[in-house]
Amino acid sequence: MGFKEASSATIFCLLLLFCLGCRCLASELEATQTGTLKIDASPQLARKIPETLFGIFFEEINHAGAGGIWAELVNNRGFEAGGPHTPSNIDPWSIIGDDSTIFVATDRTSCFSRNIVALRMEVLCDDCPTGGVGIYNPGFWGMNIEDGKAYNLVMYVNSPETTDLTISLTSYDGLQNLASATVTVSGASNWTKLEQKLVAKGTNRTSRLQITTNKKGVVWFDQVSLMPEDTYKGHGFRTELISMLLDLKPRFLRFPGGCFVEGDWLRNAFRWRESIGPWEERPGHFGDVWHYWTDDSLGYYEFLQLAEDLGAAPIWVFNNGVSHNDEVDTAAIAPFVKDVLDSLEFARGSANSTWGSVRASMGHPEPFPVKYVAIGNEDCGKKFYRGNYLKFYNAIRQAYPDIQMISNCDGSSKPLDHPADLYDFHVYTDSKTLFNMRTTFDRTSRSGPKAFVSEYAVWRSDAGRGSLLASLAEAAFLTGLEKNSDIVQMASYAPLFVNDNDQTRWNPDAIVFNSWQHYGTPSYWMQTLFRESSGAMIHPITISSGYSGSLAASAITWQDSDTSYLRVKVVNFGSDAVSLTISTSGLEASVNALGSTTTVLTSANVMDENSFSNPTKVAPVKSELSNAAEQMQVTLAPHSFNTFDLALAQSKLVAEM
């Protein structure tokens, strides 16, 4: 062998070793774990999941209601947000013109006794600029005005002299006119209700409402409302946001909070009485926990209506005389108890009852089926909570024996020291902790009241503004709730909504929106894969794998129309792929590959998020499951949430006959 041949052979060997080394390295980087998942689907071991297991929790936070699902476009429509003292701040209202042509200030001359503040506008110019002078309102970070759509304006005005007002929908700078109409104010020196429909001739996502005049004189304004004509069922809700909720198929709606119910101080807590009746007469209030004004158009009645529209059981969370900073002594709690009993009569009383007649006058003569109430929110450690709780509990039990009452005290690890039908369990934590909490309720006593996991979410560093990682941990946690649904009766993610312009208050959230766009975070899409669980049958499972510490799973049977399915949900929380053998025994029907599907929620990066520009970057992808069988081999991608829906044919007994 010559030198040249030896050199070639050496180079070849080195190249071979290099390639083999690369292959080994690649195999280490792309390691595939193995495991088996056994499901016993025999009827005798199956257990029905409560019909109420998965629902939603709405809190007025992040402008979820005002500037959110409630379609009112005018912000601070009654000029009350600056407080009862006058003159006051009228933000976000502003003037068209300057201080030589117009003077505006609030005064206490309104015709509404519960919201007495009105706006006085004095036009100073004899020869006003072209287009006139006046006031404008930009809504909540701009009004979404769409071509061809109708918008209903209602406002109350007062002027000592007859005046023509021009009502316009324009771009944020006033240069583009989308709709305009002229209305006449009679000079009768009394308050008049004016109504005007405006049909847009153009689209602008950041529009404003403006009211102008060219005539010198004084005009007072109050309760200026602009609502889109196409709200959901005509009930005042943004249709596209309600459709996101309908897609979750929620079994309950918990409302209206949360800390919003408590207030930092009791004087700023949500008051149901102030939120019912004609919208013009609702005084509104400052939500001091989340630091913004709400006119309470989205009030107690509207929440009950929303629950009905969603087909969800209403869960009324009321203030029990406790806020973040002050409390009512139990010895003086009786008026608060009566107030709550009145709220229940409003919801459940006959149309002839004192408060039921108020509900009927608002357009709902039939009672609302309120069967759950939460006595406070996160108040268990407060000085007077237990004493107050018992006062509410006893009074409600006597008046409404069927109502299920929810305590703020956690009974998951030790018995409660007071009676309750359910207890609240809240958890906000990092993804690893929540993933490991999938077994939390394995150790809970089965003899006590049931758990209501009314607020859960991954938050802070590994949650971002809604990451894949967060949704995987939450999915694993929910599989644990399914398996423990003999003791866990209800669960809901929090918070539900966030206006993208108000992201600083709480992140992440399930649904992000602005005036015209919306998208679901990975946590929202994760919840859609649990929407068939409520009322389904759950089956025992066993996972065998050296990688089981990174896996979470559950198995249910559910029915869609005429087809029954075995749904297997598996979370792979780890960074390795998993080759998983799924084996099912005890089925009373055979598996039909036709109609069986698989759905996966994953992405290239575990911290990937959705956005307005890419709303489904992390969203479930559904495909046919061609190898569906009682035993099948599947591959779980790293950091993924997988569901396998096995279509079940007719029962074997029927098939044999």
Side-chain angles (χ1 to χ4, degrees), residues 358-530:
V358 178
R359 181 199 68 241
S361 71
M362 295 179 69
H364 203 286
E366 295 301 316
F368 289 107
V370 176
K371 295 182 179 178
Y372 299 92
V373 296
I375 303 175
N377 173 76
E378 296 180 352
D379 295 326
C380 184
K382 302 295 178 63
K383 179 179 179 181
F384 294 112
Y385 179 71
R386 281 172 171 78
N388 292 1
Y389 173 92
L390 289 173
K391 293 289 187 181
F392 285 101
Y393 180 92
N394 292 331
I396 295 171
R397 180 64 79 220
Q398 181 177 359
Y400 301 96
D402 64 315
I403 285 183
Q404 301 284 289
M405 281 172 277
I406 305 163
S407 168
N408 287 181
C409 299
D410 178 13
S412 62
S413 57
K414 61 180 181 180
L416 298 181
D417 60 2
H418 54 274
D421 299 296
L422 299 102
Y423 60 85
D424 244 339
F425 183 96
H426 294 183
V427 55
Y428 296 100
T429 187
D430 61 273
S431 60
K432 184 177 180 181
T433 300
L434 192 63
F435 178 83
N436 290 331
M437 286 180 67
R438 66 195 185 280
T439 60
T440 292
F441 290 96
D442 292 0
R443 301 176 293 276
T444 297
S445 169
R446 266 48 191 170
S447 61
K450 295 185 182 296
F452 179 17
V453 184
S454 64
E455 299 183 34
Y456 73 86
V458 171
W459 71 328
R460 293 188 172 165
S461 60
D462 52 1
R465 292 178 65 175
S467 67
L468 170 64
L469 179 63
S471 70
L472 298 180
E474 291 155 1
F477 179 64
L478 294 193
T479 63
L481 299 190
E482 284 183 320
K483 287 186 283 187
N484 286 287
S485 57
D486 59 322
I487 190 65
V488 179
Q489 187 160 325
M490 293 182 277
S492 49
Y493 179 92
L496 184 59
F497 284 110
V498 61
N499 189 309
D500 188 58
N501 297 284
D502 196 22
Q503 284 273 12
T504 59
R505 299 184 198 281
W506 193 288
N507 272 305
D509 307 88
I511 300 168
V512 183
F513 65 88
N514 57 24
S515 69
W516 63 286
Q517 296 168 294
H518 64 278
Y519 67 85
T521 62
S523 294
Y524 169 84
W525 292 112
M526 175 277 298
Q527 291 176 71
T528 67
L529 300 180
F530 284 88

Side-chain angles (χ1 to χ4, degrees), residues 314-341:
I315 301 179
W316 164 220
V317 185
F318 61 76
N319 186 287
N320 65 96
V322 176
S323 78
H324 289 176
N325 292 300
D326 58 342
E327 303 178 50
V328 175
D329 191 304
T330 300
I333 200 64
F336 284 75
V337 175
K338 182 182 183 304
D339 184 64
V340 168
L341 291 176

